[in-house]
């Protein structure tokens, strides 16, 4: 299932699924909630540059998006668009443009 997360534009450049899974695993380690749990850059370079398996299991990420968050963002954006296009007192505003 790791290949499902890869952008279709770069999917053809990924030679092995193991490499993709390794990159995803390292990425999850880098976004853990507690900074002390995150690997250093030298650790990241080592993990990406070797064929050895990574023993560390990622903890909870620092930021996650759930369905209610997405719905709230969409609702807020729709409200913003509405308020930008219509005035609350139903007056229209005409802008002059020159040819």
């Amino acid at each position: 299932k790791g290949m499902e997360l890869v952008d279709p534009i770069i999917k053809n450049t990924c030679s092995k699924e193991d490499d993709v899974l390794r990159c995803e695993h390292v990425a999850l380690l880098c976004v853990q909630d507690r900074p002390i749990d995150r690997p250093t850059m030298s650790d990241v370079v080592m993990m990406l540059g070797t064929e050895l398996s990574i023993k560390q299991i990622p903890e909870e990420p620092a930021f996650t998006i759930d369905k209610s968050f997405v719905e709230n963002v969409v609702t807020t954006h729709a409200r913003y668009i509405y308020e930008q296009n219509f005035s609350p007192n139903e007056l229209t505003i005409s802008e002059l443009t020159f040819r």
Side-chain angles (χ1 to χ4, degrees), residues 24-93:
E24 290 172 354
H25 189 104
V26 171
L28 288 172
L29 290 173
C30 292
V31 296
Q32 295 180 99
D33 191 29
R34 293 178 20 176
I36 193 76
D37 293 334
R38 300 175 196 158
T40 63
M41 284 309 297
S42 58
D43 291 337
V44 169
V45 170
M46 184 198 66
M47 287 186 272
L48 293 176
T50 63
E51 295 288 326
L52 299 174
S53 63
I54 302 169
K55 305 285 188 220
Q56 191 176 359
I57 298 173
E59 299 291 328
E60 185 72 23
F63 179 74
T64 57
I65 298 176
D66 61 359
K67 186 177 178 181
S68 63
F69 176 79
V70 172
E71 289 171 352
N72 186 31
V73 168
V74 169
T75 303
T76 303
H77 182 68
R79 186 179 308 119
Y80 172 77
I81 295 297
Y82 177 80
E83 290 171 355
Q84 293 299 312
N85 292 328
F86 303 100
S87 64
N89 56 6
E90 298 181 9
L91 294 175
T92 58
I93 300 172

